[in-house]
Structures are given as C-alpha cells and as structure tokens.
Amino acid sequence: EALRSTEYAHVGSHVYLDHAGAPLFSSALVREAAEATIAAVPANPHSQHALAQRTADVVESFRREVLAFCGLEESQWACVWTSGATAALKLVGEGLLLGEDTTALVLHEDSHSSALGMRGFL
C-alpha cells in the first residue's frame, strides 16, 4: 500500500489490469523521464546541428545495446525502431512478401489484433 500511495496515487481506487497494452507509470518514472529529457535536450536525429548529432549518437548507442543484449552482430543484424507493435508487425508482414517460398502464416488464436492483420500480406 505504501508503494501504491506514493508512486501510483494517480490511479486512485481503480484496479488496472491492462499491463500488456499500456502499463501503468509510476510517479518516479515520470519525474526521472522529465529530468532526463530536460537535461538531454533531445532533437531530431536526422537534422544537421549539434543537438541533433548528440541525439543521433544516443539512438545509435541504444541500437548497439539492443543488439548486444540479444547476442547479435551489428554486421549481420539491424535494430529498427518503430512507433509500436502494429508498425513493427506491418514491417514483418510486408517482409513476408519477399520470400517466394512463403506459403503459410501460422498465428496463435490469442494473437494480438495487429498480428492477425498480417494475414492480409499473404
């Protein structure tokens, strides 16, 4: 209860169970994210100025960290950022079109609705 009253007071008396779709944020997370954003002054990493270059360096550092975490070589794999699961699955679905031997797509019955949308690519 102490954690709920300090970090999740914004939830009030509600019970929240949709953690897969949109997990609750703690007050500390919001404070720390705001402080990090103010300190870093993130910019469009595709622009051509000092703040943009600093942001681009951070993005590339995160790419390398994700690949390393997954045990993947940078020379053989790419880490692509998307706006979310739907956009990521759309890229996968579009990629399935490239293989001539792709004849079936098997999905679990409890698949996310975004995954079910991939059926349209075959």
Side-chain angles (χ1 to χ4, degrees):
E1 284 300 314
L3 182 64
R4 183 180 173 99
S5 67
T6 58
E7 293 300 325
Y8 298 95
H10 52 282
V11 179
S13 61
H14 298 282
V15 175
Y16 187 81
L17 301 175
D18 190 20
H19 296 280
L24 290 176
F25 53 86
S26 68
S27 296
L29 176 66
V30 173
R31 280 191 303 276
E32 289 177 27
E35 290 170 6
T37 302
I38 291 168
V41 192
N44 179 351
H46 306 289
S47 293
Q48 303 296 315
H49 52 80
L51 292 175
Q53 184 57 54
R54 190 165 67 183
T55 301
D57 292 344
V58 170
V59 170
E60 288 307 313
S61 172
F62 286 154
R63 283 186 210 281
R64 287 190 297 277
E65 286 183 38
V66 168
L67 291 172
F69 178 82
C70 295
L72 303 172
E73 294 290 329
E74 287 182 59
S75 61
Q76 297 177 1
W77 296 91
C79 175
V80 179
W81 306 119
T82 66
S83 62
T86 301
L89 288 168
K90 184 175 186 297
L91 286 175
V92 170
E94 291 169 344
L96 291 174
L97 292 173
L98 300 176
E100 293 180 14
D101 295 333
T102 304
T103 58
L105 174 64
V106 179
L107 298 169
H108 189 276
E109 64 184 22
D110 291 333
S111 293
H112 188 276
S113 59
S114 297
L116 297 176
M118 291 171 52
R119 294 176 294 191
F121 290 104
L122 298 178

